Amino acid sequence: MTSTPFLQNTTTYPATELVSQDKIRIQSVDILRGLVMVIMAIDHVRVYSGIPAGGLTYGVFFTRWITHYCAPSFAFFAGTSAFLYYRKSGSKKDLVEFLVTRGLLLVVFELTIVRYFWTFNFDYTNLSITGVIWMLGWCMVLLAPFLRLKPSNLAIIGVSMIAFQQVLGFFPALFPESIQPVIIKYWSFFYPSALAGREGVVIGAGTAALPSALGVSIFYVLLPWLGVMMAGYGFGQLLLKDDATVKRLCLRIGLGAIALFLVFATILAVRMGDAGNDAPFIFRALGQQKYPPSQLYILMTLGPIIALIPWAQKIKGPFSKVLKTIGHVPMFYYLLHILLIHLSAYVVNMIVFGTVHQDWYETAPFVGLAEEFRWGLPMLYTTWAIDVVILYFACVWYARYKGSHPELKWTKYL
C-alpha cells in the first residue's frame, strides 16, 4: 500500500488542529442514516411479499417510492463519513487504506453473505446481482485515488458526474468498432453504453431495463453513485462549521434541490401526459428513474435529506436514540436485516399457506408471485414493524459490544 503514488503526499494534522472526537461524530449523519435504513427494510419485506416494485395504486406506489431515499443517502453519507474519518485520523494514508480494505470487503460481502441471505442457495449460475453493497464497496475503492484533491474540488467533480452522466454512455465510442462489443460489456458496470440496447430485467415503475454483463444483472452502475459519494465527501467539511451556518447552508442546498426537482419534474410529467401516459400526475412526477439514477432522482432524494440535517442534529428523545443506534452500526444492521426478513417470510408463509415456500425466493430479490400468493400491505407493514423492533435490540447489543471492545479492529468494518 505504501508504494502507491497517491499515498506519497500524505497529510497529517497536528493533534491540536484536529476537531474533537465528539464533534467528529456528527449526530445528524447517524440519525438520517438510521432513518433510511429503517425505511429500506420496507422495500426488502416487499420483495418477499411478492408485491411488485411500483404500481398504479397509491399504497403500492408509495411503499416503493419512500424507499428511494435509501441508496442516495447511503452513498452520500458514506462520502461524508469518509471525510469525517480523515478529519479524526488526520491521515489521508489511513483513510485510503480504510476505504480500499472496507470497500473490497463490502464487495465480498455482496457476493457471499448478502447473496446467500437473499436466496439461501449457492447457485451462482442461477443469479448474481450488483446490489447497493457492491456499489458502495467499489465506489469507496474508486474514491481513494481522488483523495489528493481538496474536498471542495471533489464535490464539484461529483456533482458534474451526476449532472452530465449521459455523456459517460458514449465512452465505448472512443474505441475502434472491432473492440467496442468488449468495451461495452465491461463498461456496463460503470454506465450503460449509448451504443448498446438496454438488455436486462425490468423491475418496476420509474426504472429502465437493467443492463447486464458477464451474466450479472447490474442494479447499480458505479459512476453516478461515485459522483454522489464524492459530493458527500465534499459536503462533510460543511458539517464542521458552526450550527447557524450548517443550518443556513443545508436549507439553501436542500430546499434549492427540491425546488429544481419540482420545476423540472412538473414539466416532465406534463409532457408525459401529453404523450398519452394516463398515470396520475403525481406518479409521473415522482416516478423518477433509479437505474441508473437520473438527475431528477438525485434531486428528489438528496434534497429533502440535506434539508433535514439541521433537524436531525437537534432532535432528542427515544426516537432519536433508536435511529442513532441503528445508524451507528449500519453494516451489522444491513446484513442481519436481510436474514431476518427472509426468515420472517417463512413464518408468514407457514401461517398463511402452511409451508415456507423457499422455492419462491431462489432468485431473490427478483421475486414474482401470482397475485393470489402475494401478501397484502397490512401484512407487509406488520412484518416490517416487528422486524425493525428485533433489529433495534440486536443493534443495541452490537453497539455495546463494539464500544466495550475497542481493541477489536475488525469491528470498524462491521
Side-chain angles (χ1 to χ4, degrees):
M1 294 291 292
T2 54
S3 63
T4 307
F6 57 78
L7 293 183
Q8 295 174 357
N9 188 25
T10 299
T11 302
T12 302
Y13 285 95
T16 55
E17 294 184 14
L18 290 177
V19 182
S20 71
Q21 184 168 341
D22 290 340
K23 177 64 175 176
I24 286 294
R25 193 85 210 179
I26 304 294
Q27 170 176 294
S28 57
V29 174
D30 284 340
I31 292 285
L32 291 173
R33 185 162 49 199
L35 176 62
V36 295
M37 297 199 78
V38 169
I39 292 171
M40 170 189 64
I42 298 173
D43 193 50
H44 295 164
V45 175
R46 178 201 57 77
V47 166
Y48 289 94
S49 75
I51 296 175
L56 293 181
T57 66
Y58 283 90
V60 173
F61 179 88
F62 283 103
T63 292
R64 171 61 173 169
W65 178 82
I66 190 63
T67 65
H68 283 320
Y69 286 89
C70 302
S73 299
F74 294 156
F76 188 78
F77 286 132
T80 301
S81 296
F83 174 82
L84 298 177
Y85 183 100
Y86 165 51
R87 289 292 300 184
K88 183 164 68 174
S89 71
S91 170
K92 285 187 178 178
K93 177 178 179 294
D94 288 348
L95 174 58
V96 167
E97 290 179 348
F98 175 74
L99 287 176
V100 172
T101 54
R102 180 176 174 82
L104 293 177
L105 182 63
L106 292 184
V107 172
V108 172
F109 279 172
E110 179 73 70
L111 297 177
T112 55
I113 300 172
V114 173
R115 188 192 177 282
Y116 180 77
F117 285 174
W118 274 117
T119 64
F120 283 178
N121 69 64
F122 295 102
D123 183 9
Y124 282 84
T125 63
N126 190 27
L127 178 73
S128 290
I129 63 169
T130 61
V132 69
I133 301 302
W134 162 285
M135 175 271 286
L136 292 173
W138 281 120
C139 285
M140 288 178 181
V141 173
L142 294 173
L143 176 64
F146 291 92
L147 293 180
R148 294 182 65 179
L149 301 176
K150 294 179 180 179
S152 55
N153 291 339
L154 263 182
I156 293 171
I157 294 173
V159 171
S160 298
M161 289 173 65
I162 297 166
F164 304 107
Q165 60 179 277
Q166 282 79 7
V167 175
L168 301 171
F170 294 94
F171 177 77
L174 301 177
F175 295 85
E177 289 187 11
S178 59
I179 64 171
Q180 281 181 6
V182 176
I183 299 299
I184 289 171
K185 180 184 296 185
Y186 290 97
W187 187 247
S188 295
F189 286 101
F190 298 93
Y191 200 81
S193 171
L195 306 181
R198 296 300 302 278
E199 299 177 356
V201 182
V202 179
I203 63 170
T207 68
L210 295 179
S212 61
L214 305 177
V216 177
S217 297
I218 303 171
F219 268 67
Y220 294 89
V221 294
L222 296 178
L223 293 184
W225 295 108
L226 176 60
V228 174
M229 191 174 290
M230 287 178 168
Y233 185 89
F235 183 82
Q237 61 185 345
L238 183 155
L239 295 181
L240 299 183
K241 298 181 181 296
D242 63 89
D243 291 345
T245 301
V246 170
K247 181 178 181 180
R248 182 176 70 254
L249 293 178
C250 285
L251 289 177
R252 285 181 179 177
I253 295 170
L255 296 179
I258 293 171
L260 281 175
F261 167 76
L262 291 175
V263 169
F264 288 102
T266 298
I267 294 172
L268 180 62
V270 170
R271 286 175 134 184
M272 292 170 65
D274 292 341
N277 188 324
D278 59 356
F281 173 84
I282 193 168
F283 289 7
R284 285 180 270 135
L286 297 181
Q288 300 301 324
Q289 180 179 294
K290 180 180 180 180
Y291 305 106
S294 68
Q295 293 87 344
L296 285 179
Y297 178 88
I298 297 299
L299 290 172
M300 177 181 73
T301 52
L302 284 186
I305 290 294
I306 293 172
L308 283 173
I309 285 175
W311 164 82
Q313 191 61 24
K314 298 294 185 182
I315 186 175
K316 305 292 182 183
F319 182 61
S320 67
K321 179 182 177 182
V322 170
L323 297 182
K324 190 187 299 185
T325 299
I326 293 173
H328 188 53
V329 290
M331 196 62 220
F332 175 82
Y333 175 99
Y334 187 91
L335 293 176
L336 185 60
H337 97 285
I338 298 176
L339 174 62
L340 178 61
I341 290 170
H342 196 153
L343 294 175
S344 298
Y346 282 0
V347 174
V348 172
N349 290 341
M350 279 295 296
I351 294 171
V352 177
F353 304 111
T355 183
V356 298
H357 275 300
Q358 165 57 22
D359 55 301
W360 290 350
Y361 309 126
E362 292 289 334
T363 57
F366 298 116
V367 174
L369 301 182
E371 191 167 354
E372 63 267 24
F373 296 121
R374 297 172 187 170
W375 309 355
L377 288 179
M379 179 66 75
L380 187 161
Y381 280 97
T382 299
T383 305
W384 165 74
I386 293 171
D387 284 350
V388 167
V389 171
I390 296 172
L391 288 165
Y392 166 68
F393 285 107
C395 289
V396 169
W397 168 82
Y398 181 68
R400 288 174 178 169
Y401 177 83
K402 183 176 180 179
S404 61
H405 293 84
E407 75 281 2
L408 299 178
K409 302 301 182 183
W410 61 265
T411 59
K412 72 178 181 178
Y413 296 100
L414 185 59

